[in-house]
Amino acid sequence: MEEASVPGDSSLPPWSGRVLGSLASLWSSSSLEELKLSLTWKQAADAWVQVRANVMAPVLQVAVALCMLMSVMLVSEKLLMGATSLFAKVFRWRPQRRYKYQPLGEDMEVGYPMVLVQIPMYNEKQVYKLSIGAACGLSWPLDRIIIQVLDDSTDPEIKNLVELECKTWKSKGFNIKYEIRDNRHGYKAGALKEGMKHSYVGHCDFVAIFDADFQPEVDFLMQTVPFLIHNPDICLVQTRWKFVNSNECMMTRIQEMSMDYHFKVEQESGSTMHSFFGFNGTAGVWRISALEEAGGWKDRTTVEDMDLAVRATLCGWKFVYLGNVKVKSELPSTLKAYRSQQFRWSCGPANLFRKIHKEILKTKKVSTRKKIYLIYSFFIIRRIISHTVTFMFYCVVIPSSVFVPEVEVSTWGVVYIPTTITLLNSVGTPSSFHLLLFWIFFENVMSMNRMRAVWTGLFETGKVNEWVVTKKLGSKLNEQKTEEPRKQTRSSIFGRILLPELGMALYLFLCACYDLRYGKNNYFFYIYPQAITFFIVGIGYVGTLVPS
């Protein structure tokens, strides 16, 4: 029986069946590949969710918990210091009330003690005249003071200028000594140690130390030395720094905020509560016998001043901080100088803690309370945790959490704690309150450099003992402005670019974009400006030219 024909079949060409069959086969193959690809992407997405939930989320949640714990420790310490500083201010709990104090006068029974004034310097062409002139201008009997200029300059021209300046003052009747050495072993600590070996130092009772860019007022010794004369248990009188170039640019304004907080809160509270604080290396007066008992100057770290202060404390000596006595000084005007300074100031204390913590625990001359204060508050909280948590929490952990929605960061940790810390830091410089946002973002950028320095010091690796002298420009210090300090040129583009900062800028930008598209916490409001700040610093657009 013949098969029935379909109407219209006779009109189709013979090859149409083969074409339709091929198209059907192609469609079937394409659909299958798409299906396979869809399954592959789905499997990858499921795998990513599993890895994110089971591997990344627990690790990041632990990091969040650790950062929150460190944040609580930090804010508690700052609240305690702020309350103590406020107490001292409100109730006028000044050193003159806590210690015996009597102004020096002509009818004073004990008379004027012999004072040594040390000025360590290194190629200080712009400021050597200012520092030597200020030291010679101190109000003190000429026969009871010795000015010692410790010149470690490597530039022959500068050495000749400094020596000539010393001879000029010597011709005016001042007892000024120009001392040099044939090496720079130990840097500043080595110079100070060598300076104490001269025979004439044996006739001195106290030593005042001023870095090359510091200019004390004429009554500096009159206000500080009486504490040492009338209180035999006091070995150090530290004074406050006053910054003459703080209004030079945005970077110096931000530096002033941090430094004012250090002096008005940290130093004030340390002096009020525990009679201990770190010697700032300058603008202070030491009792020479206490300095020698503590072991003298050591160059085992880049913070020889803090090292000496801790050792003197372990010997049972007390310190006094005079916030009302201010000494003119200069802030770094370039980012390169500021980064080098901050690296040294962050690396040195961490390295010192590594080397002296056992000595602190073993000493029997100080109370357990002071030991705890030294190890926990002074070193761990302020010198290690503060730099670590600032970078890790606000620049790494919180931005990274946008990729892992399983991780929750409490609002009090993201908002309340950093807000409290920021407000506490602003109390030192209320005139710069409007710069708080700039201060936050810039300090977060600098925290990466500081954290790297801290862990370099703790593990004693890399540039742990490298000393880079902070260049002084004499900005606004000299009444007769010279052209030379302003002849600063832009360095090459490759010398200015900071690759780690640029890498962080890119990462933060990606985090902000992802949070804007998929996030639910609106972290991008904070992450975008932080990324921009890292980028600006990374391309060398901050502190590159000295302002005119």
Side-chain angles (χ1 to χ4, degrees):
M1 185 176 178
E2 292 186 4
E3 188 176 340
S5 62
V6 179
D9 277 359
S10 58
S11 63
L12 294 175
W15 46 266
S16 62
R18 293 194 300 272
V19 172
L20 292 174
S22 298
L23 290 174
S25 176
L26 183 62
W27 178 87
S28 175
S29 175
S30 176
S31 297
L32 183 60
E33 290 298 326
E34 288 181 2
L35 180 61
K36 289 181 179 179
L37 185 62
S38 175
L39 290 174
T40 301
W41 278 110
K42 187 177 185 303
Q43 291 172 349
D46 291 341
W48 160 247
V49 171
Q50 291 297 320
V51 171
R52 188 182 69 191
N54 298 319
V55 179
M56 296 183 64
V59 172
L60 197 57
Q61 196 65 59
V62 170
V64 170
L66 288 175
C67 288
M68 297 283 273
L69 175 62
M70 289 190 291
S71 297
V72 171
M73 295 166 67
L74 180 60
V75 75
S76 300
E77 177 71 12
K78 286 186 174 291
L79 285 171
L80 177 60
M81 290 190 298
T84 305
S85 179
L86 181 63
F87 168 82
K89 184 177 182 63
V90 172
F91 293 96
R92 300 184 181 276
W93 192 242
R94 299 306 182 192
Q96 288 80 355
R97 293 181 58 186
R98 302 199 308 270
Y99 300 99
K100 186 178 179 181
Y101 177 82
Q102 180 180 349
L104 289 170
E106 294 181 358
D107 57 345
M108 184 177 174
E109 296 181 0
V110 297
Y112 289 88
M114 196 73 178
V115 176
L116 173 70
V117 178
Q118 289 184 318
I119 310 175
M121 58 177 58
Y122 173 74
N123 293 336
E124 309 289 359
K125 187 174 183 179
Q126 311 301 336
V127 295
Y128 73 93
K129 284 188 176 182
L130 301 172
S131 57
I132 295 175
C136 292
L138 290 170
S139 179
W140 204 256
L142 291 182
D143 61 335
R144 308 300 296 168
I145 186 171
I146 301 175
I147 312 296
Q148 187 185 64
V149 178
L150 304 171
D151 190 10
D152 267 2
S153 300
T154 54
D155 188 326
E157 178 186 356
I158 298 177
K159 292 184 73 170
N160 291 334
L161 291 173
V162 175
E163 185 177 11
L164 181 61
E165 184 70 12
C166 291
K167 289 180 178 179
T168 300
W169 284 101
K170 191 175 185 67
S171 66
K172 297 178 181 179
F174 290 88
N175 190 359
I176 186 168
K177 309 289 186 179
Y178 176 72
E179 307 291 356
I180 61 173
R181 53 186 184 145
D182 57 4
N183 59 72
R184 290 195 66 224
H185 295 164
Y187 303 105
K188 179 182 174 182
L192 293 169
K193 183 177 181 179
E194 195 69 24
M196 298 298 294
K197 294 180 180 180
H198 295 281
S199 59
Y200 55 82
V201 176
H203 302 292
C204 300
D205 302 296
F206 311 115
V207 54
I209 303 170
F210 301 102
D211 282 350
D213 59 319
F214 279 70
Q215 293 182 90
E217 298 294 336
V218 294
D219 62 346
F220 177 86
L221 295 177
M222 290 290 188
Q223 296 193 61
T224 55
V225 172
F227 285 98
L228 296 167
I229 294 176
H230 299 294
N231 301 274
D233 57 342
I234 292 177
C235 72
L236 167 67
V237 179
Q238 173 69 59
T239 61
R240 183 180 160 191
W241 299 358
K242 179 182 179 181
F243 309 107
V244 297
N245 66 330
S246 58
N247 292 324
E248 201 167 59
C249 61
M250 178 72 73
M251 192 181 72
T252 54
R253 291 288 296 274
I254 291 174
Q255 289 180 63
E256 181 190 33
M257 293 175 67
S258 298
M259 293 302 296
D260 279 352
Y261 174 81
H262 168 70
F263 282 104
K264 291 185 178 181
V265 179
E266 289 185 350
Q267 298 290 76
E268 185 73 60
S269 63
S271 179
T272 302
M273 283 193 304
H274 307 279
S275 297
F276 173 79
F277 46 85
F279 174 45
N280 296 118
T282 179
V285 186
W286 276 89
R287 186 185 301 274
I288 292 180
S289 60
L291 191 152
E292 293 173 347
E293 182 186 346
W297 295 102
K298 294 184 179 181
D299 58 0
R300 57 179 176 174
T301 70
T302 57
V303 284
E304 72 292 327
D305 45 10
M306 185 183 294
D307 187 357
L308 177 60
V310 174
R311 285 185 281 115
T313 297
L314 298 183
C315 291
W317 290 98
K318 295 181 179 180
F319 304 161
V320 172
Y321 170 68
L322 301 181
N324 61 316
V325 180
K326 302 176 184 178
V327 181
K328 295 178 181 178
S329 63
E330 182 182 344
L331 292 164
S333 296
T334 64
L335 181 64
K336 182 178 180 181
Y338 184 53
R339 277 170 55 86
S340 298
Q341 180 199 70
Q342 293 300 299
F343 187 92
R344 175 163 54 87
W345 285 3
S346 301
C347 178
N351 189 236
L352 176 61
F353 176 67
R354 171 192 173 99
K355 294 177 177 178
I356 207 170
H357 69 280
K358 292 182 180 179
E359 188 177 344
I360 296 174
L361 293 172
K362 292 179 180 179
T363 186
K364 297 180 180 179
K365 292 186 177 181
V366 298
S367 64
T368 302
R369 182 176 68 89
K370 183 169 288 189
K371 291 180 184 180
I372 295 173
Y373 171 78
L374 271 171
I375 292 177
Y376 176 78
S377 297
F378 187 77
F379 279 112
I380 294 179
I381 299 294
R382 301 184 209 171
R383 268 73 195 179
I384 298 175
I385 285 181
S386 62
H387 302 318
T388 302
V389 71
T390 301
F391 176 70
M392 290 302 299
F393 195 31
Y394 304 114
C395 299
V396 177
V397 173
I398 292 178
S400 299
S401 68
V402 304
F403 296 117
V404 188
E406 292 85 357
V407 174
E408 292 289 337
V409 185
S410 300
T411 303
W412 61 270
V414 179
V415 179
Y416 301 139
I417 285 183
T419 300
T420 303
I421 293 175
T422 301
L423 293 176
L424 288 172
N425 276 279
S426 68
V427 300
T429 316
S431 60
S432 297
F433 186 80
H434 60 288
L435 299 176
L436 272 182
L437 286 178
F438 296 99
W439 179 85
I440 292 171
F441 294 124
F442 183 74
E443 283 294 295
N444 284 352
V445 173
M446 290 302 301
S447 68
M448 182 166 71
N449 181 56
R450 294 187 183 116
M451 191 191 77
R452 181 170 63 89
V454 165
W455 293 100
T456 297
L458 279 177
F459 292 102
E460 209 163 24
T461 60
K463 301 178 179 179
V464 63
N465 289 318
E466 181 180 8
W467 180 289
V468 179
V469 177
T470 304
K471 186 177 181 181
K472 291 91 177 179
L473 302 174
S475 303
K476 297 184 180 179
L477 291 176
N478 197 346
E479 294 180 0
Q480 296 179 348
K481 298 292 190 297
T482 60
E483 294 294 330
E484 190 168 357
R486 298 304 180 190
K487 291 181 180 178
Q488 300 292 325
T489 58
R490 292 183 183 273
S491 57
S492 65
I493 185 67
F494 297 106
R496 286 163 37 205
I497 285 181
L498 303 173
L499 293 180
E501 280 75 3
L502 287 180
M504 278 302 303
L506 177 60
Y507 177 72
L508 291 172
F509 181 76
L510 294 176
C511 292
C513 291
Y514 187 90
D515 187 61
L516 178 64
R517 178 65 179 84
Y518 302 105
K520 57 182 179 180
N521 294 315
N522 297 323
Y523 290 157
F524 64 88
F525 281 111
Y526 154 76
I527 301 176
Y528 270 129
Q530 188 64 74
I532 294 171
T533 309
F534 267 100
F535 178 75
I536 292 173
V537 174
I539 62 175
Y541 198 70
V542 174
T544 302
L545 289 177
V546 179
S548 59

